[in-house]
Amino acid sequence: MKVVVCVKQIPDPADPGALDPDTRTLRRDVKLILDESDSYGVEMALQLVDTAGEGSVHLVSMVPDDEVSGLRTALAMGADSATLVSDEALAGSDALGTARVLAAAIERSEPDLVLAATESSDGYTGVVPAQVAELLGLPSVTFAKEISIDGGTATVRRQTEAGADRVECPLPAVVSVTAGVVEPRYPSFRGIMQAKNKPVDNLKVTDLGIAAEQVGWAGAGQEITDIAEAPERAAGEIVEDEGDAHERIVAFLDELKVI
Amino acid sequence: MTLDKIWVFGEAGADGVATITLEMLAKAREVAGTVEVFLGSDGEASAAELGDHGAARVYSTGDLGGRMQGVSVASAAADAISSGGVAAPDAFLLGTTYDGRDVAARLSVKLDAGVLSNVVDLHLDGDRLVGVEPVFGGTVNVTSRFTGGGPDIWLVRPKSFEPAAVGGPSAEVVDLPVPELGAAGGAVVLDRFTEESEGPKLDEAAIVVSGGRGLGSAEAYSMIEQLAKELGAAPGASRAIVDAGWVPYSYQVGQTGKVVKPTVYIACGISGATQHLVGMKGSKNIIAINKDSEAPIFAVADLGIVGDVHKVVPKLTEALEGR
């Protein structure tokens, strides 16, 4: 069984940088790391291949520079190989442009299953997995909490507003995974050493048969017209707990007439 | 200047039409001459309520059985438009929901149109919509617009607009047939499970009590549930403890979870990462309990308690008992 996992390298959320006032986009001249949201998809893929007793996990990612440190993290967890579409032309890509590039890169691997996070932690558009599925003509199940594979069929427990749906889906298919559903393994020292020698295939967008103007700023079809500071909340009262802070909370709730 | 026509993706809630659908109808009416709904269910069941909220027509696929909303509704809508049977709307509004995102994603590929996600406000700039998206935990608002040919596809965060009934007549129900879906339509729902939860829903509750990493362990979350029960509140969570598997994803408040705007939000052991703040800083009153006086959550709190949640929360629950 061949599983492809879409992963994204993002600025560390603990130090996300700032918007560039000239380009009006997130500055990415900071160190990029593996989006933690993607570690669940990588872990899920490793577990499914393990359960199947055979197969491989291949990563697909894109970046406007040549950053690979986030990919190495996922390879150190146990993924076998990666395709990195690394091209300046990708800067400014919207969700649809991103999906076009990922779909073209995924197609070359002819996977049985494509996994992705439900959304990235930085852009969080939440539409890329289903766009990839539509571009590849595949079924998709988003917001998966559990996945099991039996031959050519996936059974997925999908989060819903009311609870969950049990969905049956023929393979190949695209499934997006919610955070927290599996416990991502920490890369072992051996894994980290091995990751350095795992194959990473570097491609340009034109290698995928995509014209540079279909992606990035040129292909995005949207622009930012304004960036403004949101109104701040007025500072409140801060109380050090001396053993009676709960009384202050009760009084506050009383004032609001909610109790 | 208004738009000619907007299509709003309709969803069912626990009790009639989903609130997010009614919220979007209220905004759509402000900016467009004609507002219509498209949905992946039986339109007759919701035509009266949708009409009351200003929808002129409801394009309905009928009951989808087990087929998925995303691929079914997007294919039906794209087919109706590309066949010339229905004039394309200037814009689509869909909720940032489980199914709304799927429909928007599939529709964008079929119509070769972009999607802008997570908007919390929309207004007209000339003859086109612009949308506002909060970034960096809601400290910065980014306004964007489409530059392509359209139609424009917007994913709207719940709680961005107020629903408003206008007493309109029942919406006219129009058939929106689902075409042959091929391999893309292969996924089928076998069973649906309802999560039984006591008390109010997270995104509708007047009071929300949320727990974070400061609780220290999954077991300690029970004190959040007890306090919530005592207050008639909904229990919530930060992303950190959802990622850690302490509580299900459905509890998550924040950028990648639910947006809540209760009368009172009580954050227990939550540091206030931007990821969390964007989901709750619209609350009318915020109480924060955290042992780190430097925690960012205190910058948005009306009442901040610098203290140990393990001491303050049980005492608070006890003090509220019998009131």
Side-chain angles (χ1 to χ4, degrees):
Chain A
M1 183 173 62
K2 185 157 194 180
V3 184
V4 164
V5 188
C6 299
V7 297
K8 186 173 183 183
Q9 303 177 103
I10 64 167
D12 188 340
D15 181 21
L19 288 172
D20 184 325
D22 296 328
T23 63
R24 291 171 163 169
T25 57
L26 193 63
R27 294 179 56 146
R28 291 182 192 277
D29 52 355
V30 292
K31 182 178 149 52
L32 302 181
I33 61 168
L34 178 68
D35 186 345
E36 199 184 321
S37 301
D38 291 329
S39 61
Y40 302 95
V42 174
E43 179 62 38
M44 185 76 88
L46 293 170
Q47 290 185 12
L48 289 171
V49 166
D50 200 34
T51 304
E54 55 82 29
S56 61
V57 177
H58 182 72
L59 310 170
V60 168
S61 190
M62 60 183 258
V63 73
D65 53 28
D66 51 9
E67 181 71 57
V68 292
S69 61
L71 273 188
R72 293 289 174 199
T73 303
L75 290 168
M77 285 175 70
D80 298 285
S81 55
T83 299
L84 179 66
V85 187
S86 160
D87 198 321
E88 281 177 14
L90 292 170
S93 293
D94 68 345
L96 187 53
T98 302
R100 282 191 212 290
V101 173
L102 294 177
I106 290 164
E107 201 166 25
R108 294 158 63 104
S109 302
E110 298 181 9
D112 300 298
L113 177 66
V114 181
L115 296 181
T118 54
E119 59 197 327
S120 63
S121 297
D122 59 345
Y124 75 112
T125 64
V127 292
V128 171
Q131 285 175 325
V132 167
E134 180 66 25
L135 287 161
L136 296 174
L138 296 179
S140 55
V141 185
T142 51
F143 294 94
K145 294 151 70 88
E146 290 169 30
I147 307 172
S148 59
I149 307 286
D150 185 8
T153 305
T155 305
V156 179
R157 199 172 170 88
R158 179 185 190 238
Q159 179 78 49
T160 64
E161 206 57 56
D165 286 350
R166 191 165 66 95
V167 182
E168 191 175 82
C169 184
L171 300 179
V174 178
V175 179
S176 79
V177 179
T178 60
V181 294
V182 286
E183 194 173 340
R185 65 195 69 184
Y186 286 105
S188 64
F189 179 71
R190 188 161 157 264
I192 293 167
M193 295 311 289
Q194 285 177 339
K196 292 178 180 168
N197 296 318
K198 286 180 175 172
V200 176
D201 191 13
N202 264 283
L203 300 176
K204 297 286 176 198
V205 292
T206 48
D207 295 331
L208 296 168
I210 296 172
E213 59 270 20
Q214 285 180 279
V215 297
W217 298 114
Q222 51 191 243
E223 63 180 8
I224 292 173
T225 59
D226 187 45
I227 296 173
E229 298 281 323
E232 284 193 32
R233 287 183 74 98
E237 178 191 352
I238 305 290
V239 180
E240 192 91 28
D241 179 33
E242 307 279 357
D244 57 359
H246 59 285
E247 290 170 14
R248 180 67 194 90
I249 298 176
V250 172
F252 186 81
L253 295 172
D254 255 335
E255 283 167 43
L256 297 172
K257 299 188 169 39
V258 293
I259 54 172
Chain B
M1 188 96 194
T2 56
L3 301 179
D4 287 337
K5 185 165 82 172
I6 284 181
W7 270 26
V8 171
F9 175 55
E11 293 187 69
D15 181 25
V17 176
T19 309
I20 174 67
T21 305
L22 302 180
E23 290 167 0
M24 291 188 293
L25 283 174
K27 175 49 78 173
R29 269 201 334 273
E30 273 178 46
V31 293
T34 302
V35 177
E36 297 172 344
V37 170
F38 67 122
L39 46 72
S41 59
D42 173 20
E44 296 291 349
S46 50
E49 191 174 0
L50 293 171
D52 188 31
H53 285 259
R57 263 168 229 94
V58 49
Y59 288 89
S60 154
T61 61
D63 183 26
L64 291 174
R67 288 177 294 176
M68 306 300 281
Q69 288 273 327
V71 67
S72 306
V73 177
S75 301
D79 246 37
I81 290 164
S82 58
S83 70
V86 176
D90 300 293
F92 292 93
L93 304 188
L94 306 96
T96 308
T97 58
Y98 301 114
D99 289 333
R101 275 181 270 220
D102 281 4
V103 176
R106 296 258 181 191
L107 200 52
S108 82
V109 173
K110 287 182 178 296
L111 300 178
D112 192 20
V115 183
L116 279 164
S117 294
N118 296 308
V119 297
V120 296
D121 198 9
L122 285 163
H123 50 262
L124 280 168
D125 181 4
D127 58 358
R128 204 137 183 200
L129 285 174
V130 296
V132 178
E133 175 195 356
V135 298
F136 297 139
T139 55
V140 176
N141 288 325
V142 172
T143 305
S144 305
R145 70 175 171 208
F146 290 96
T147 55
D152 303 343
I153 305 174
W154 299 95
L155 275 169
V156 178
R157 296 287 293 200
K159 304 269 165 190
S160 299
F161 311 116
E162 282 288 323
V166 288
S170 187
E172 178 195 351
V173 179
V174 183
D175 196 26
L176 189 69
V178 179
E180 180 54 47
L181 299 173
V188 179
V189 178
L190 301 178
D191 302 295
R192 296 184 196 277
F193 301 93
T194 305
E195 245 170 44
E196 295 300 338
S197 61
E198 290 176 45
K201 283 182 65 185
L202 183 55
D203 49 1
E204 290 169 5
I207 307 178
V208 172
V209 183
S210 284
R213 183 81 81 183
L215 292 173
S217 70
E219 292 68 39
Y221 190 80
S222 62
M223 74 167 116
I224 300 298
E225 288 170 319
Q226 283 161 15
L227 176 57
K229 193 174 175 196
E230 205 56 55
L231 285 166
S238 71
R239 174 172 170 174
I241 72 168
V242 173
D243 283 3
W246 296 0
V247 293
Y249 176 75
S250 54
Y251 282 52
Q252 187 171 322
V253 173
Q255 176 182 296
T256 49
K258 290 211 161 64
V259 175
V260 299
K261 293 186 178 180
T263 308
V264 185
Y265 188 86
I266 308 179
C268 307
I270 292 176
S271 64
T274 54
Q275 147 75 236
H276 188 70
L277 295 180
V278 77
M280 46 64 78
K281 68 181 275 188
S283 305
K284 289 189 189 67
N285 299 279
I286 296 171
I287 301 173
I289 307 164
N290 199 300
K291 64 181 177 195
D292 175 10
S293 63
E294 301 293 315
I297 192 78
F298 289 125
V300 300
D302 299 287
L303 174 61
I305 306 294
V306 181
D308 184 350
V309 285
H310 300 92
K311 292 178 181 156
V312 178
V313 172
K315 279 193 210 166
L316 177 59
T317 306
E318 198 185 326
L320 291 165
E321 273 169 17
R323 284 186 55 123

Short mmCIF file of all heavy atoms in Angstrom, two decimals, chain B residues 87-131:
data_model
loop_
_atom_site.label_atom_id
_atom_site.label_comp_id
_atom_site.label_asym_id
_atom_site.label_seq_id
_atom_site.Cartn_x
_atom_site.Cartn_y
_atom_site.Cartn_z
N ALA B 87 -28.49 31.06 -14.03
CA ALA B 87 -27.48 32.10 -14.16
C ALA B 87 -26.54 32.04 -12.96
O ALA B 87 -26.99 31.87 -11.83
CB ALA B 87 -28.13 33.48 -14.24
N ALA B 88 -25.22 32.17 -13.22
CA ALA B 88 -24.26 32.10 -12.13
C ALA B 88 -24.46 33.27 -11.17
O ALA B 88 -24.68 34.40 -11.59
CB ALA B 88 -22.83 32.14 -12.68
N PRO B 89 -24.38 33.01 -9.86
CA PRO B 89 -24.45 34.12 -8.91
C PRO B 89 -23.15 34.92 -8.94
O PRO B 89 -22.13 34.43 -9.42
CB PRO B 89 -24.62 33.41 -7.56
CG PRO B 89 -24.00 32.07 -7.76
CD PRO B 89 -24.22 31.71 -9.21
N ASP B 90 -23.18 36.14 -8.42
CA ASP B 90 -21.94 36.93 -8.31
C ASP B 90 -21.03 36.34 -7.24
O ASP B 90 -19.82 36.43 -7.35
CB ASP B 90 -22.27 38.38 -7.93
CG ASP B 90 -23.15 39.03 -8.96
OD1 ASP B 90 -22.67 39.23 -10.09
OD2 ASP B 90 -24.33 39.30 -8.66
N ALA B 91 -21.66 35.77 -6.22
CA ALA B 91 -20.86 35.22 -5.11
C ALA B 91 -21.59 34.06 -4.46
O ALA B 91 -22.82 34.00 -4.45
CB ALA B 91 -20.58 36.31 -4.08
N PHE B 92 -20.78 33.14 -3.91
CA PHE B 92 -21.29 32.06 -3.06
C PHE B 92 -20.84 32.34 -1.64
O PHE B 92 -19.67 32.68 -1.41
CB PHE B 92 -20.67 30.71 -3.47
CG PHE B 92 -21.09 30.19 -4.81
CD1 PHE B 92 -20.34 30.45 -5.94
CD2 PHE B 92 -22.23 29.40 -4.92
CE1 PHE B 92 -20.71 29.95 -7.18
CE2 PHE B 92 -22.62 28.88 -6.16
CZ PHE B 92 -21.86 29.16 -7.29
N LEU B 93 -21.74 32.18 -0.69
CA LEU B 93 -21.36 32.23 0.72
C LEU B 93 -21.60 30.85 1.32
O LEU B 93 -22.69 30.29 1.19
CB LEU B 93 -22.21 33.25 1.51
CG LEU B 93 -22.24 34.70 1.04
CD1 LEU B 93 -22.98 35.56 2.09
CD2 LEU B 93 -20.86 35.25 0.81
N LEU B 94 -20.55 30.32 1.96
CA LEU B 94 -20.67 29.03 2.64
C LEU B 94 -20.07 29.16 4.04
O LEU B 94 -19.14 29.94 4.24
CB LEU B 94 -19.93 27.92 1.87
CG LEU B 94 -20.29 27.76 0.40
CD1 LEU B 94 -19.31 28.52 -0.48
CD2 LEU B 94 -20.32 26.30 -0.01
N GLY B 95 -20.60 28.43 4.97
CA GLY B 95 -20.08 28.49 6.34
C GLY B 95 -18.77 27.72 6.47
O GLY B 95 -18.56 26.73 5.76
N THR B 96 -17.91 28.16 7.37
CA THR B 96 -16.68 27.41 7.68
C THR B 96 -17.09 26.23 8.56
O THR B 96 -16.85 26.20 9.75
CB THR B 96 -15.66 28.30 8.41
OG1 THR B 96 -15.49 29.49 7.65
CG2 THR B 96 -14.31 27.61 8.52
N THR B 97 -17.76 25.25 7.93
CA THR B 97 -18.27 24.09 8.65
C THR B 97 -17.66 22.85 8.00
O THR B 97 -16.95 22.94 7.01
CB THR B 97 -19.80 24.02 8.51
OG1 THR B 97 -20.13 23.97 7.13
CG2 THR B 97 -20.47 25.23 9.15
N TYR B 98 -17.98 21.68 8.55
CA TYR B 98 -17.42 20.45 7.99
C TYR B 98 -17.84 20.29 6.52
O TYR B 98 -17.02 19.99 5.66
CB TYR B 98 -17.88 19.23 8.80
CG TYR B 98 -17.46 19.33 10.26
CD1 TYR B 98 -18.40 19.44 11.27
CD2 TYR B 98 -16.12 19.31 10.59
CE1 TYR B 98 -18.01 19.54 12.60
CE2 TYR B 98 -15.71 19.41 11.91
CZ TYR B 98 -16.66 19.53 12.91
OH TYR B 98 -16.26 19.64 14.22
N ASP B 99 -19.12 20.47 6.24
CA ASP B 99 -19.59 20.30 4.87
C ASP B 99 -19.39 21.54 4.01
O ASP B 99 -19.15 21.44 2.82
CB ASP B 99 -21.08 19.91 4.86
CG ASP B 99 -21.29 18.48 5.37
OD1 ASP B 99 -20.37 17.65 5.22
OD2 ASP B 99 -22.38 18.20 5.90
N GLY B 100 -19.48 22.72 4.62
CA GLY B 100 -19.31 23.97 3.87
C GLY B 100 -17.96 24.05 3.18
O GLY B 100 -17.84 24.44 2.02
N ARG B 101 -16.92 23.63 3.90
CA ARG B 101 -15.57 23.65 3.33
C ARG B 101 -15.46 22.68 2.15
O ARG B 101 -14.81 22.98 1.15
CB ARG B 101 -14.53 23.30 4.40
CG ARG B 101 -14.12 24.51 5.21
CD ARG B 101 -13.09 24.15 6.25
NE ARG B 101 -13.77 23.77 7.48
CZ ARG B 101 -13.34 24.11 8.70
NH1 ARG B 101 -12.26 24.83 8.85
NH2 ARG B 101 -14.01 23.74 9.76
N ASP B 102 -16.09 21.50 2.29
CA ASP B 102 -16.03 20.50 1.21
C ASP B 102 -16.71 21.03 -0.05
O ASP B 102 -16.21 20.86 -1.16
CB ASP B 102 -16.73 19.21 1.64
CG ASP B 102 -15.86 18.36 2.56
OD1 ASP B 102 -14.76 18.81 2.92
OD2 ASP B 102 -16.30 17.25 2.91
N VAL B 103 -17.88 21.63 0.12
CA VAL B 103 -18.62 22.14 -1.04
C VAL B 103 -17.82 23.26 -1.71
O VAL B 103 -17.65 23.28 -2.93
CB VAL B 103 -20.03 22.66 -0.64
CG1 VAL B 103 -20.74 23.27 -1.84
CG2 VAL B 103 -20.87 21.52 -0.04
N ALA B 104 -17.29 24.19 -0.90
CA ALA B 104 -16.53 25.32 -1.44
C ALA B 104 -15.31 24.83 -2.22
O ALA B 104 -15.00 25.33 -3.30
CB ALA B 104 -16.09 26.25 -0.31
N ALA B 105 -14.62 23.83 -1.66
CA ALA B 105 -13.40 23.32 -2.28
C ALA B 105 -13.70 22.69 -3.65
O ALA B 105 -13.04 23.01 -4.65
CB ALA B 105 -12.74 22.27 -1.37
N ARG B 106 -14.70 21.83 -3.69
CA ARG B 106 -15.04 21.15 -4.94
C ARG B 106 -15.57 22.15 -5.98
O ARG B 106 -15.26 22.07 -7.16
CB ARG B 106 -16.09 20.07 -4.68
CG ARG B 106 -15.60 18.95 -3.76
CD ARG B 106 -15.26 17.73 -4.55
NE ARG B 106 -14.81 16.62 -3.72
CZ ARG B 106 -14.26 15.51 -4.22
NH1 ARG B 106 -14.10 15.38 -5.53
NH2 ARG B 106 -13.87 14.55 -3.45
N LEU B 107 -16.37 23.10 -5.48
CA LEU B 107 -16.94 24.11 -6.37
C LEU B 107 -15.85 24.98 -6.99
O LEU B 107 -15.91 25.33 -8.18
CB LEU B 107 -17.89 24.98 -5.53
CG LEU B 107 -18.98 25.80 -6.22
CD1 LEU B 107 -19.83 24.95 -7.15
CD2 LEU B 107 -19.87 26.46 -5.15
N SER B 108 -14.84 25.32 -6.21
CA SER B 108 -13.78 26.20 -6.71
C SER B 108 -13.04 25.55 -7.87
O SER B 108 -12.68 26.21 -8.83
CB SER B 108 -12.82 26.59 -5.59
OG SER B 108 -11.86 25.60 -5.35
N VAL B 109 -12.81 24.23 -7.78
CA VAL B 109 -12.13 23.53 -8.87
C VAL B 109 -13.04 23.47 -10.09
O VAL B 109 -12.63 23.74 -11.22
CB VAL B 109 -11.71 22.10 -8.44
CG1 VAL B 109 -11.15 21.32 -9.62
CG2 VAL B 109 -10.69 22.17 -7.31
N LYS B 110 -14.31 23.13 -9.86
CA LYS B 110 -15.24 22.97 -10.98
C LYS B 110 -15.46 24.29 -11.74
O LYS B 110 -15.61 24.30 -12.95
CB LYS B 110 -16.59 22.43 -10.49
CG LYS B 110 -16.50 20.96 -10.10
CD LYS B 110 -17.83 20.41 -9.67
CE LYS B 110 -17.74 18.93 -9.34
NZ LYS B 110 -17.39 18.09 -10.52
N LEU B 111 -15.48 25.40 -11.00
CA LEU B 111 -15.74 26.70 -11.63
C LEU B 111 -14.44 27.47 -11.89
O LEU B 111 -14.47 28.59 -12.38
CB LEU B 111 -16.66 27.55 -10.74
CG LEU B 111 -18.04 26.96 -10.44
CD1 LEU B 111 -18.82 27.89 -9.52
CD2 LEU B 111 -18.83 26.71 -11.73
N ASP B 112 -13.30 26.86 -11.53
CA ASP B 112 -12.01 27.52 -11.64
C ASP B 112 -12.05 28.91 -10.99
O ASP B 112 -11.66 29.92 -11.57
CB ASP B 112 -11.57 27.64 -13.11
CG ASP B 112 -10.11 28.05 -13.23
OD1 ASP B 112 -9.37 27.88 -12.24
OD2 ASP B 112 -9.72 28.56 -14.30
N ALA B 113 -12.57 28.94 -9.78
CA ALA B 113 -12.72 30.20 -9.05
C ALA B 113 -12.04 30.05 -7.69
O ALA B 113 -12.06 28.98 -7.09
CB ALA B 113 -14.20 30.51 -8.84
N GLY B 114 -11.45 31.13 -7.19
CA GLY B 114 -10.75 31.08 -5.92
C GLY B 114 -11.70 31.05 -4.74
O GLY B 114 -12.90 31.33 -4.86
N VAL B 115 -11.15 30.68 -3.58
CA VAL B 115 -11.90 30.68 -2.33
C VAL B 115 -11.17 31.58 -1.34
O VAL B 115 -9.95 31.51 -1.25
CB VAL B 115 -11.96 29.27 -1.69
CG1 VAL B 115 -12.81 29.28 -0.42
CG2 VAL B 115 -12.48 28.25 -2.67
N LEU B 116 -11.90 32.41 -0.62
CA LEU B 116 -11.31 33.12 0.52
C LEU B 116 -11.98 32.61 1.78
O LEU B 116 -13.21 32.61 1.88
CB LEU B 116 -11.45 34.64 0.36
CG LEU B 116 -10.38 35.27 -0.55
CD1 LEU B 116 -10.77 36.68 -0.98
CD2 LEU B 116 -9.01 35.30 0.15
N SER B 117 -11.17 32.14 2.72
CA SER B 117 -11.66 31.45 3.91
C SER B 117 -11.65 32.35 5.14
O SER B 117 -10.93 33.34 5.19
CB SER B 117 -10.78 30.24 4.22
OG SER B 117 -10.87 29.27 3.22
N ASN B 118 -12.45 31.94 6.13
CA ASN B 118 -12.39 32.52 7.48
C ASN B 118 -12.78 33.99 7.54
O ASN B 118 -12.32 34.72 8.41
CB ASN B 118 -10.98 32.35 8.08
CG ASN B 118 -10.65 30.89 8.28
OD1 ASN B 118 -11.42 30.17 8.90
ND2 ASN B 118 -9.54 30.45 7.72
N VAL B 119 -13.63 34.44 6.62
CA VAL B 119 -14.01 35.85 6.71
C VAL B 119 -15.03 36.05 7.83
O VAL B 119 -15.87 35.20 8.11
CB VAL B 119 -14.55 36.44 5.37
CG1 VAL B 119 -13.47 36.42 4.31
CG2 VAL B 119 -15.79 35.73 4.91
N VAL B 120 -14.90 37.18 8.53
CA VAL B 120 -15.80 37.52 9.62
C VAL B 120 -16.63 38.76 9.29
O VAL B 120 -17.51 39.15 10.04
CB VAL B 120 -15.03 37.75 10.94
CG1 VAL B 120 -14.35 36.46 11.39
CG2 VAL B 120 -14.01 38.87 10.80
N ASP B 121 -16.32 39.38 8.15
CA ASP B 121 -17.16 40.49 7.69
C ASP B 121 -17.05 40.58 6.17
O ASP B 121 -16.04 40.17 5.59
CB ASP B 121 -16.71 41.81 8.32
CG ASP B 121 -17.80 42.88 8.23
OD1 ASP B 121 -18.94 42.54 7.83
OD2 ASP B 121 -17.52 44.05 8.54
N LEU B 122 -18.12 41.07 5.56
CA LEU B 122 -18.17 41.25 4.11
C LEU B 122 -18.84 42.57 3.84
O LEU B 122 -19.82 42.93 4.50
CB LEU B 122 -19.02 40.15 3.47
CG LEU B 122 -18.42 38.75 3.35
CD1 LEU B 122 -19.53 37.74 3.10
CD2 LEU B 122 -17.41 38.70 2.20
N HIS B 123 -18.30 43.34 2.90
CA HIS B 123 -19.02 44.52 2.46
C HIS B 123 -18.70 44.82 1.01
O HIS B 123 -17.76 44.27 0.43
CB HIS B 123 -18.78 45.72 3.37
CG HIS B 123 -17.34 45.99 3.65
ND1 HIS B 123 -16.72 45.56 4.80
CD2 HIS B 123 -16.39 46.62 2.94
CE1 HIS B 123 -15.45 45.93 4.77
NE2 HIS B 123 -15.22 46.58 3.65
N LEU B 124 -19.50 45.70 0.45
CA LEU B 124 -19.31 46.04 -0.96
C LEU B 124 -18.26 47.13 -1.11
O LEU B 124 -18.24 48.09 -0.35
CB LEU B 124 -20.63 46.53 -1.57
CG LEU B 124 -21.62 45.44 -1.96
CD1 LEU B 124 -22.98 46.06 -2.26
CD2 LEU B 124 -21.11 44.65 -3.16
N ASP B 125 -17.39 46.92 -2.11
CA ASP B 125 -16.44 47.97 -2.47
C ASP B 125 -16.65 48.14 -3.98
O ASP B 125 -16.19 47.32 -4.76
CB ASP B 125 -15.03 47.51 -2.12
CG ASP B 125 -13.99 48.57 -2.46
OD1 ASP B 125 -14.38 49.68 -2.89
OD2 ASP B 125 -12.79 48.29 -2.31
N GLY B 126 -17.37 49.16 -4.37
CA GLY B 126 -17.77 49.27 -5.77
C GLY B 126 -18.79 48.19 -6.07
O GLY B 126 -19.76 48.02 -5.34
N ASP B 127 -18.51 47.40 -7.10
CA ASP B 127 -19.48 46.38 -7.47
C ASP B 127 -19.01 44.98 -7.10
O ASP B 127 -19.45 43.99 -7.67
CB ASP B 127 -19.78 46.46 -8.97
CG ASP B 127 -18.52 46.29 -9.80
OD1 ASP B 127 -17.43 46.16 -9.19
OD2 ASP B 127 -18.61 46.30 -11.03
N ARG B 128 -18.11 44.89 -6.12
CA ARG B 128 -17.61 43.58 -5.73
C ARG B 128 -17.45 43.51 -4.22
O ARG B 128 -17.19 44.52 -3.57
CB ARG B 128 -16.27 43.33 -6.41
CG ARG B 128 -15.94 41.86 -6.55
CD ARG B 128 -15.38 41.57 -7.92
NE ARG B 128 -15.15 40.14 -8.06
CZ ARG B 128 -14.33 39.61 -8.95
NH1 ARG B 128 -13.65 40.40 -9.77
NH2 ARG B 128 -14.19 38.31 -9.05
N LEU B 129 -17.59 42.29 -3.69
CA LEU B 129 -17.45 42.12 -2.25
C LEU B 129 -15.98 42.14 -1.83
O LEU B 129 -15.11 41.67 -2.56
CB LEU B 129 -18.04 40.78 -1.81
CG LEU B 129 -19.56 40.66 -1.76
CD1 LEU B 129 -19.96 39.23 -1.46
CD2 LEU B 129 -20.15 41.61 -0.73
N VAL B 130 -15.72 42.67 -0.66
CA VAL B 130 -14.43 42.49 -0.01
C VAL B 130 -14.71 41.81 1.32
O VAL B 130 -15.78 41.97 1.91
CB VAL B 130 -13.66 43.82 0.22
CG1 VAL B 130 -13.31 44.45 -1.11
CG2 VAL B 130 -14.46 44.79 1.08
N GLY B 131 -13.76 41.00 1.79
CA GLY B 131 -13.95 40.24 3.02
C GLY B 131 -12.85 40.51 4.01
O GLY B 131 -11.72 40.79 3.63
#
